[in-house]
Amino acid sequence: MIGTIVNTCTILTGSIIGSIFKKGIQENQQKALFTAMGLAATGLGINAVVQNMPKSNYPVLFIVSLALGSLLGTWIDLDDKFQKLTQRLSVGQLSQGLSTGILLFCIGTLSILGPIQSALNHDHTYLFTNATLDLVTSMVLASTYGIGMVLTAPVLFCWQGSIYGLALLLGNFMTTDMMTELSIVGGFLIASSGLSILQIKDCKTMNMLPSLVIPVIFCWITGMV
C-alpha cells in the first residue's frame, strides 16, 4: 500500500500548495486556468480513448457501457446528489473541480494497474509515476477550485485501496481486456468533464459514472465462460 499512500499524500500536498497560490490569482487568470484545465481534461480523455481503442476486443462494449451507465446514473441522479453534497462543503465551482479531479486521479491506466502491480509483484513504479503526475495536476486544480480539492485524496485512497485488496484476494481478476475497456470508458468520461469545464456541453459526468461498472461485469462474466 506504500504506493497508494504516497499517491494520496502528493494530492494532499499539491492541493494545499495550489490553494495558497489561488489567493494571488486574479479573476481573468482564474478564467484562463478554467480554460486550460478544460482543454487538458478533454485532451487526456481523448488520448486514453485513442490509445486503448485499437487494443479492444469488444469494440461495441464502450457504447453499451456509456448508454446503460448513463441511464442508471440519471435514474439515481448522482449528479444532483453530488452537487448537494459539495454545496454543503463550499460554494462556487468546487463540485465541478471535484468531479474532474476524481476522474483524472482515479480513472487511468496507472491508477488502475498500479495497485495491481503493487499487490501482486510488489512493484510500486506505476504508482510513484502516477503520484508525480497527480502532484502537478492537484496543484493546478486547487489553484482554480480551492482547498476543497483535498477531498479527492481520500477518494483516491479508497479507489486504489479497493483495487489493491481485490488484486490480493482474486489474483488476476483485473484482466488486460478489463483494463483496456475501463480505460476507454474512463477516457470518454474525462473528456466529457473537460467539455463541461469549457462550458461547451454540460454532460453531467457524475451521472455517467456507473458506466465504469459495465466493462468490469462483462469481462468478469466472459472470463468465467
Side-chain angles (χ1 to χ4, degrees), residues 96-156:
Q96 189 177 67
L98 287 175
S99 61
T100 302
I102 290 170
L103 287 169
L104 288 175
F105 297 147
C106 296
I107 310 305
T109 303
L110 292 175
S111 194
I112 296 173
L113 182 59
I116 299 175
Q117 288 285 81
S118 179
L120 300 181
N121 303 319
H122 304 289
D123 182 358
H124 309 300
T125 304
Y126 285 166
L127 286 178
F128 289 158
T129 302
N130 198 54
T132 304
L133 295 172
D134 288 350
L135 174 65
V136 177
T137 305
S138 60
M139 288 174 62
V140 176
L141 283 171
S143 67
T144 305
Y145 297 105
I147 190 62
M149 291 306 302
V150 297
L151 296 174
T152 58
V155 175
L156 174 92

Side-chain angles (χ1 to χ4, degrees), residues 151-212:
L151 296 174
T152 58
V155 175
L156 174 92
F157 182 83
C158 293
W159 168 257
Q160 290 187 357
S162 298
I163 297 175
Y164 182 91
L166 282 173
L168 287 177
L169 290 173
L170 304 176
N172 295 322
F173 172 77
M174 300 292 291
T175 63
T176 301
D177 280 341
M178 188 183 296
M179 289 188 54
T180 298
E181 301 306 326
L182 272 174
S183 296
I184 293 173
V185 175
F188 276 107
L189 298 192
I190 293 173
S192 72
S193 181
L195 294 177
S196 296
I197 295 174
L198 292 170
Q199 297 182 347
I200 295 175
K201 170 69 177 178
D202 184 7
C203 299
K204 295 188 181 298
T205 307
M206 293 302 297
N207 280 346
M208 301 168 68
L209 281 182
S211 302
L212 295 168

Side-chain angles (χ1 to χ4, degrees), residues 24-128:
I25 298 178
Q26 299 177 359
E27 184 178 352
N28 62 333
Q29 294 171 328
Q30 288 185 6
K31 290 181 179 179
L33 283 175
F34 270 110
T35 302
M37 285 312 305
L39 289 171
T42 304
L44 286 170
I46 293 173
N47 181 63
V49 173
V50 171
Q51 280 192 336
N52 289 280
M53 191 79 78
K55 304 175 187 177
S56 176
N57 292 318
Y58 312 102
V60 184
L61 180 58
F62 78 92
I63 301 175
V64 177
S65 298
L66 289 170
L68 293 180
S70 296
L71 284 174
L72 178 59
T74 302
W75 178 63
I76 301 173
D77 204 356
L78 291 175
D79 184 76
D80 182 65
K81 290 179 172 60
F82 188 75
Q83 294 284 350
K84 290 179 179 177
L85 175 62
T86 52
Q87 284 172 6
R88 297 175 186 174
L89 301 171
S90 181
V91 294
Q93 301 293 323
L94 177 59
S95 60
Q96 189 177 67
L98 287 175
S99 61
T100 302
I102 290 170
L103 287 169
L104 288 175
F105 297 147
C106 296
I107 310 305
T109 303
L110 292 175
S111 194
I112 296 173
L113 182 59
I116 299 175
Q117 288 285 81
S118 179
L120 300 181
N121 303 319
H122 304 289
D123 182 358
H124 309 300
T125 304
Y126 285 166
L127 286 178
F128 289 158

